[in-house]
Amino acid sequence: MSKDSALAVRVTIARVEQTLADSPAFVRIEPRFYVLRQGTAYVYVQILPWEPERAVVRFVAQLVRGVEMTPDLALKLLRLNARLRFGAFGYVEQGSCVVLVHTLLGGETLDADEILAALRDMSVIADEYDDRIVDEVGGQRMQDLIDASVASAFFDDFRDISILSERADVFDA
C-alpha cells in the first residue's frame, strides 16, 4: 500500500467509525472490517486501498447460502437491480450465496450522509430479501447459519462436559 493510499484508508476509517460509532448495531471486527446487523441480515463493511492514492468502502450483505441459481431467480434479481438506489444483487458460486453489494469512494470526499444513506438502503433491502429468497427458493439466511453455529458450539461444549462428568471417578482416585 502506498503512502498516499494509506492516508486515504486512515481518513476513510475515521469517517466510517465516527459516523457509525453511536449505533448499537455497529461492531468493529478488526481494523478496516466492520459488521452491522439489521433484523436477520448482516452488512459487512470493509475499507480497502484502491489505486495509488485512494480507498474504497465496500458493503457486502450475504443474504442466503445454499441457493441454486436458476434462470428465473437470476432474472428476478436483475430486475430488482434496475430499481435499487444503492447496491446490486449478485451470486457467489462458492457457497451458492446470493449477496447484495455496494461500493463508495473513500477518502476526503466521503461524508457521513453518504455512508448512512447507502447503509440504510443496504440493510433494509438485505433484511427484506433474505426472507423473500428463502421463502421462494430455499437456502439459509446468515442469521440461520449463525444460530446453527452457536447451537453447535454449545452442544459441543455440553458434550465435553458430559464426557468429563462420566469420567468423574477418575478424579476420585
Side-chain angles (χ1 to χ4, degrees), residues 124-145:
V124 168
I125 291 165
D127 188 38
E128 173 74 20
Y129 279 91
D130 65 348
D131 295 327
R132 287 185 181 198
I133 292 166
V134 167
D135 289 346
E136 188 167 323
V137 298
Q140 291 182 292
R141 298 171 304 160
M142 292 311 296
Q143 181 63 50
D144 300 332
L145 292 168

Side-chain angles (χ1 to χ4, degrees), residues 24-41:
F26 174 71
V27 177
R28 180 177 184 226
I29 302 299
E30 59 184 48
R32 302 184 319 178
F33 185 70
Y34 311 89
V35 175
L36 284 103
R37 181 174 179 187
Q38 172 72 33
T40 58

Side-chain angles (χ1 to χ4, degrees), residues 18 77 79 94 110 123 154 160:
Q18 182 179 21
L77 294 176
R79 286 186 191 110
Q94 182 180 1
L110 182 66
S123 60
F154 172 78
D160 292 344

Side-chain angles (χ1 to χ4, degrees), residues 38-149:
Q38 172 72 33
T40 58
Y42 294 85
V43 179
Y44 304 109
V45 180
Q46 188 171 20
I47 299 167
L48 303 165
W50 182 59
E51 293 189 342
E53 314 172 338
R54 299 286 183 107
V56 294
V57 181
R58 185 81 168 150
F59 302 102
V60 179
Q62 295 180 359
L63 303 181
V64 181
R65 285 192 100 148
V67 173
E68 180 184 345
M69 181 53 69
T70 63
D72 184 51
L73 179 58
L75 285 173
K76 286 178 182 180
L77 294 176
L78 284 171
R79 286 186 191 110
L80 288 168
N81 282 346
R83 296 183 5 223
L84 296 177
R85 285 184 295 208
F86 297 99
F89 289 100
Y91 183 74
V92 178
E93 193 169 3
Q94 182 180 1
S96 304
C97 189
V98 176
V99 296
L100 181 66
V101 297
H102 186 68
T103 303
L104 297 175
L105 183 60
E108 295 291 336
T109 60
L110 182 66
D111 65 40
D113 291 338
E114 183 179 15
I115 295 166
L116 290 173
L119 263 176
R120 282 184 185 126
D121 271 23
M122 291 280 298
S123 60
V124 168
I125 291 165
D127 188 38
E128 173 74 20
Y129 279 91
D130 65 348
D131 295 327
R132 287 185 181 198
I133 292 166
V134 167
D135 289 346
E136 188 167 323
V137 298
Q140 291 182 292
R141 298 171 304 160
M142 292 311 296
Q143 181 63 50
D144 300 332
L145 292 168
I146 290 169
D147 289 347
S149 175

